[in-house]
């Protein structure tokens, strides 16, 4: 959409940077905001407006894109409190303070839409059967889960001036250019497996193999761009590819690229079921990238 303006927080990270690239490719004027951008990400976001700011700071300067802009809040601290040297309460605060700042900003500039990216991390292993529907009650505990759940509850009620709310839960994500950073020290299982495959290391796979709702991260921008053209939705919705894939199937795909891949089976631990995509009329006919094609792109970029 040529001329439309979008502000993306957390744009120095894995998900945020892909959103920035995706919206730019769709013709949006993108302002990418993060506490810091590494050299590789700066290069990928070349031509966009990059703003470095700590949204938790009281004097943080957030660009005013004017009436009618879209704000996507992708910034999040997923690294555990222990690894960050924080208490659980401090970890919740570190996630909530930037969200509160952006909600105030959205109301002040009269943004057209505010997109809060939540997570399937709000769910625990015992939630949902056989898959997680958006009507299932989340019961996960922990500071990250608590902050995401609080955001889902807060966003629809905190906006004013007609700004349309969207709360979108993301599940298992994979894609090119994934790397650890201080706020997200653990990479996805897919990234870990591909790295081990490239290095000839043994991959551990749970048995029986669980199913996961793997979503190719570059698909998110065109999907969200469709959603924000329609009415807002106060309820959390599941934004993910429609066909869960078992870990065994992923290993089979990896073996097609690495025939000598070494795998060791380990006992399965309880994990949350895959999310079931919400029925979103705006995404009728949307073509999600199948995992074979997505994985090939990941490996091609890594090479």
């Amino acid at each position: 959409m040529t001329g439309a303006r979008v502000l993306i927080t957390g744009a120095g990270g894995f998900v945020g940077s892909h959103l920035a690239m995706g919206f730019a490719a769709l013709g949006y004027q993108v302002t990418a905001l993060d506490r810091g951008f590494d050299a590789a990400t700066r290069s990928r976001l070349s031509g966009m407006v990059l703003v470095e700011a700590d949204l938790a700071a009281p004097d943080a300067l957030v660009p005013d894109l004017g009436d009618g802009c879209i704000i996507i809040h992708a910034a999040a601290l997923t690294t555990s409190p222990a690894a960050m040297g924080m208490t659980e309460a401090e970890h919740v605060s570190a996630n909530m303070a930037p969200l509160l700042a952006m909600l105030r900003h959205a109301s002040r500039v009269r943004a057209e839409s505010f997109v809060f990216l939540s997570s399937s991390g709000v769910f625990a292993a015992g939630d949902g059967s056989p898959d997680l529907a958006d009507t299932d009650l989340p019961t996960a505990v922990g500071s990250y889960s608590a902050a995401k759940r609080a955001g889902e509850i807060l966003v629809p009620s905190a906006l004013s001036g007609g700004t349309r709310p969207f709360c979108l839960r993301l599940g298992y994500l994979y894609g090119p250019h994934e790397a650890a950073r201080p706020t997200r020290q653990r990479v996805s299982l897919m990234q870990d497996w591909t790295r081990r495959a490239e290095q000839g290391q043994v991959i551990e796979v749970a048995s029986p193999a669980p199913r996961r709702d793997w979503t190719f991260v570059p698909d998110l921008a065109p999907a969200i761009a469709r959603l924000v053209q329609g009415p807002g939705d106060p309820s959390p919705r599941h934004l993910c590819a429609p066909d869960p894939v078992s870990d065994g199937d992923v290993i089979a795909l990896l073996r097609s690229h690495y025939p000598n891949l070494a795998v060791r089976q380990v006992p399965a631990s309880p994990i949350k079921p895959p999310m079931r995509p919400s029925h979103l009329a705006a995404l009728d006919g949307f073509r999600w990238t199948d995992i074979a094609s997505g994985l090939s792109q990941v490996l091609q970029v890594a090479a």
Side-chain angles (χ1 to χ4, degrees), residues 37-302:
F37 297 89
D38 60 32
T41 304
R42 280 186 174 276
S43 177
R44 287 191 290 117
L45 303 188
S46 176
M48 304 177 203
V49 177
L50 304 188
V51 178
E52 292 191 349
D54 182 357
L55 292 174
D59 59 348
L61 295 177
V62 181
D64 182 351
L65 303 189
D67 190 4
C69 68
I70 298 166
I71 294 175
I72 302 177
H73 185 63
L77 175 60
T78 65
T79 301
S80 70
M84 297 295 295
M86 294 179 171
T87 65
E88 293 276 337
E90 289 169 339
H91 196 263
V92 172
S93 178
N95 269 305
M96 292 302 296
L99 172 59
L100 293 171
M102 290 310 301
L103 286 170
R104 290 191 294 268
H105 181 75
S107 295
R108 186 165 58 250
V109 303
R110 294 183 297 180
E112 178 182 278
S113 301
F114 187 97
V115 181
F116 172 61
L117 296 188
S118 187
S119 168
S120 63
V122 298
F123 291 107
D127 297 339
S129 180
D131 298 339
L132 291 163
D134 54 24
T135 53
D136 287 326
L137 179 66
T139 67
V141 297
S143 54
Y144 175 74
S145 302
K148 287 299 187 184
R149 186 67 183 125
E152 293 177 354
I153 297 169
L154 178 64
V155 165
S157 61
L159 296 170
S160 61
T163 299
R164 296 176 296 185
F166 297 86
C167 296
L168 304 175
R169 290 177 181 151
L170 307 181
Y172 290 94
L173 303 171
Y174 75 104
H177 310 296
E178 183 179 1
R181 65 194 308 233
T183 54
R184 185 177 180 268
Q185 292 181 7
R186 292 183 61 182
V187 296
S188 70
L189 185 62
M190 186 79 76
Q191 175 66 14
D192 179 66
W193 282 352
T194 55
R195 178 182 58 82
R196 290 177 183 274
E198 291 162 5
Q199 297 175 356
Q201 298 178 359
V202 176
I203 293 177
E204 292 187 344
V205 181
S207 180
R211 297 160 56 247
R212 305 179 197 266
D213 49 272
W214 287 111
T215 298
F216 192 52
V217 171
D219 288 345
L220 294 178
I224 294 174
R226 284 195 184 194
L227 292 175
V228 297
Q229 298 307 309
D233 191 338
S235 300
R237 299 303 183 193
H238 295 178
L239 185 64
C240 59
D243 300 311
V245 180
S246 77
D247 288 359
D249 288 339
V250 174
I251 294 302
L253 288 172
L254 279 173
R255 276 213 166 102
S256 70
H257 295 274
Y258 302 95
N260 297 322
L261 182 66
V263 176
R264 178 170 58 242
Q265 291 190 338
V266 296
S269 299
I271 68 167
K272 60 182 179 290
M275 290 198 305
R276 185 187 312 153
S278 299
H279 176 68
L280 302 166
L283 296 184
D284 286 348
F286 185 80
R287 296 187 64 179
W288 296 93
T289 301
D290 65 88
I291 196 162
S293 300
L295 183 57
S296 293
Q297 292 183 52
V298 171
L299 296 176
Q300 183 178 8
V301 170

